[in-house]
Amino acid sequence: MPLLICLTSLVYVQVAAAQADDVAVVVNDHNPVTKMSRAELRKIFAGEERTWPAGFPIRLFVRAPGTHERVALLKLLGMTEDEYRRYWTAQVLRGEAQTEPFTLPSNGMQKEALIAYPGAVALVNLQDVKAGMKVLRVEGRKPGEAGYSLN
Amino acid sequence: MRHIRWTATVLFLFATLCYAQDATPTDPETVAELVQQIKDLQTRVKLLESQRNHADATPPNASNPSAEPSDRTASVPAVEPELHDVHGIQWRGFGEVDYKVLNQRAAELGAYGFVPGSQGNFYTGDFGLFLTSKLTDKASILAEIIFEEGDAQTYQVDLRRLLLNYDYNDHLKMSFGRYQTDVGYYNWAFRSAAWLQTTADRPLVMEFATNGGLLPTQAIGVSVTGEIPSGRLGLNYVAEYGSSDTVRPDVNDDGHATDENNGNQVNVGLFLRPDAVRGLQIGTSYYHDKISNNVVTQPSGIAFPQPPGAPGPSARYGQTIVNGYVVYVAHGVEFLNEGFLIRDAALHFSDTVYNTPAFYSQISKQFGHIRPFFRYQYVNASSNNLIYDDVGLRFGPSFGARYDLNDYIAFKAQLDHTVRRDEPDLNGLQFQLAFTF
């Protein structure tokens, strides 16, 4: 019996830790989008999709290198930090993007940007999600749920 | 005893001092963290100040009745100037410094600063100023001004791209102005900047027409592109209609050029980026135009006597270019494969048809800062082809490496071996410093 309790606790701790690592995809409250696939998310953060279905332009906000959200972003795009920077310089020089995604130094600023821009989208640590941030489902799952793929 | 107590007190104070010094956060990580926090706070103060200034400047009853709650309306215009992505001109630039040596004393392709009689030369290639400006959420301006090195270190200005872009949505993105044609993948992916390219030069078939390349690389007109609803297939289209007036100098810089006096060109293409294989792009395009083969001397532009039996300068050819490509760019791998068939069919005066097949294949892999590459290219203009008589048959490998010194500067070294019909094989060595800013 004590062994069972120990194992259950261990599993619970591991699941809780994994859920704490989840990164939420957040958008402006007024954005009608509620869910997207991982492939769609990758296209959005690679600048391949530039408009929301509602018609307004997508504005990307990302966190600074070294943050957990940035690591999740690079994992999503399958790039290293160097590749990511060069990719966006290339996108701008091709004329495929007006500018690189804006890097914000804090979650507070991300929240302000999300409120300010109807087309804003950002990645935020699950525990840092605040009121005013609309969390999207990715592949049908919300962050914190088992099987959520963005972490 | 008193002496011992005094000594103990001193030792105790010294130990306390040492402890206090150890506890002071002087390790680099903590300092960096504190500096970052200060920067965050400074940014935040700046943002709040700009918000306050704007709130002071805004009349109290100027709010839009349909707008969001008051705390949101205040922050919308305040954050925008901070992000610098609406209005204003964004400047970028790129350039290159090259040294190229050949085992012959005649130039090949764009002559740049080539000194006749020499085998090796330094040159600066293209120096570009890249300007963009966002007019509205959907409209923007893009301009690419190139300072191109010519003979004897003279420079000419080329407005390589000038576009008014309007992105209605992801299914309809329109550009009006001078555009770079989307014939093939290379012209889209690498545009004009040497810094974007892995190799030191473009494949011959993709070289700019003004440097002796075979394809019409520029046109003025309208270009439309967008996604076609196709689920996980990721199908996209491109359609272009415009005028180009290509004057193509001979690749061996013999002082002759072909003024094509083009008509209006049509280019339509499809490409797919399937979700299942990230980095894979497969595409095809079809291009059509009517051209002439007016041989003129450079730089005067005076008509050059054509060989006996050749049709006059009024002779027109229907030019059709069919392209197909498969590229894979992901996980540090770049694998480009493109094929072309350029068909020039005489109109009215004879039933002459010139078919010019061409392809290139390029593979490279990033290892840290270094990216070794290998490219093989092939162009075959038949010996009776009057339009590409300077090109003939050329094929051969190129290999080398690109080393990224940082995010903005790359050094490239490249060796070329080209087999040519009726001419000796050509070997070349090229070094390039390519940069963007």
Side-chain angles (χ1 to χ4, degrees), chain A residues 50 59 85 93-94 100, chain B residues 85 92 161 167 189 407:
Chain A
R50 296 185 234 162
R59 288 178 189 274
R85 287 199 301 269
L93 289 178
R94 282 180 192 131
E100 292 92 344
Chain B
D85 66 347
R92 295 291 182 105
R161 280 195 287 171
D167 290 3
D407 286 344

Side-chain angles (χ1 to χ4, degrees), chain A residues 33 44 47-59, chain B residues 137-138 167-173 227:
Chain A
V33 169
I44 284 173
E48 289 174 16
E49 285 195 3
R50 296 185 234 162
T51 313
W52 291 108
F56 42 85
I58 294 171
R59 288 178 189 274
Chain B
D137 270 348
K138 299 195 174 202
D167 290 3
Y168 182 71
N169 56 29
D170 282 330
H171 306 293
L172 184 62
K173 292 180 265 190
E227 288 178 358

Side-chain angles (χ1 to χ4, degrees), chain A residues 94 96, chain B residues 161 163 173 175 179-191 206 215-219 222-226 237-241 265-271 281 283-287 321 323-325 338 340:
Chain A
R94 282 180 192 131
E96 293 294 311
Chain B
R161 280 195 287 171
L163 293 171
K173 292 180 265 190
S175 301
Y179 57 87
Q180 235 170 293
T181 56
D182 278 338
V183 180
Y185 172 83
Y186 206 94
N187 221 21
W188 170 83
F190 300 103
R191 299 298 185 194
M206 296 308 306
L215 299 182
T217 41
Q218 255 83 30
V222 57
S223 173
V224 184
T225 184
Y237 72 91
V238 60
E240 297 170 336
Y241 183 69
Q265 55 174 251
V266 178
N267 182 43
V268 288
L270 287 172
F271 63 91
Q281 185 169 325
T284 181
S285 66
Y286 174 89
Y287 170 99
I321 302 169
N323 158 261
Y325 67 84
E338 279 201 83
F340 300 84

Side-chain angles (χ1 to χ4, degrees), chain B residues 212-365:
Chain B
L214 284 72
L215 299 182
T217 41
Q218 255 83 30
I220 300 174
V222 57
S223 173
V224 184
T225 184
E227 288 178 358
I228 298 171
S230 53
R232 298 174 66 84
L233 199 60
L235 193 61
N236 289 259
Y237 72 91
V238 60
E240 297 170 336
Y241 183 69
S243 315
S244 65
D245 190 9
T246 305
V247 178
R248 196 182 70 78
D250 282 3
V251 293
N252 50 15
D253 195 37
D254 60 3
H256 300 160
T258 303
D259 185 351
E260 294 185 352
N261 284 332
N262 310 63
N264 286 340
Q265 55 174 251
V266 178
N267 182 43
V268 288
L270 287 172
F271 63 91
L272 55 93
R273 293 172 177 154
D275 287 352
V277 189
R278 187 177 66 78
L280 178 68
Q281 185 169 325
I282 301 170
T284 181
S285 66
Y286 174 89
Y287 170 99
H288 186 74
D289 195 358
K290 288 177 185 168
I291 65 167
S292 296
N293 180 32
N294 295 343
V295 182
V296 295
T297 53
Q298 283 196 308
S300 63
I302 298 167
F304 188 79
Q306 299 220 1
S314 60
R316 300 287 277 172
Y317 297 85
Q319 184 174 64
T320 303
I321 302 169
V322 181
N323 158 261
Y325 67 84
V326 179
V327 303
Y328 177 79
V329 183
H331 304 290
V333 175
E334 178 192 61
F335 189 30
L336 317 177
N337 303 280
E338 279 201 83
F340 300 84
L341 178 64
I342 306 167
R343 179 183 163 87
D344 296 290
L347 300 171
H348 314 307
F349 63 92
S350 77
D351 55 359
T352 308
V353 175
Y354 304 127
N355 286 319
T356 309
F359 77 85
Y360 75 89
S361 189
Q362 178 178 315
I363 188 161
S364 69
K365 169 88 172 89

Side-chain angles (χ1 to χ4, degrees), chain B residues 111-145:
Chain B
Y112 302 110
F114 197 85
V115 180
S118 74
Q119 286 180 302
N121 272 93
F122 284 99
Y123 62 93
T124 52
D126 290 351
F127 170 72
L129 293 176
F130 184 83
L131 288 77
T132 54
S133 181
K134 197 161 188 173
L135 305 177
T136 67
D137 270 348
K138 299 195 174 202
S140 62
I141 295 285
L142 181 156
E144 198 172 281
I145 305 159

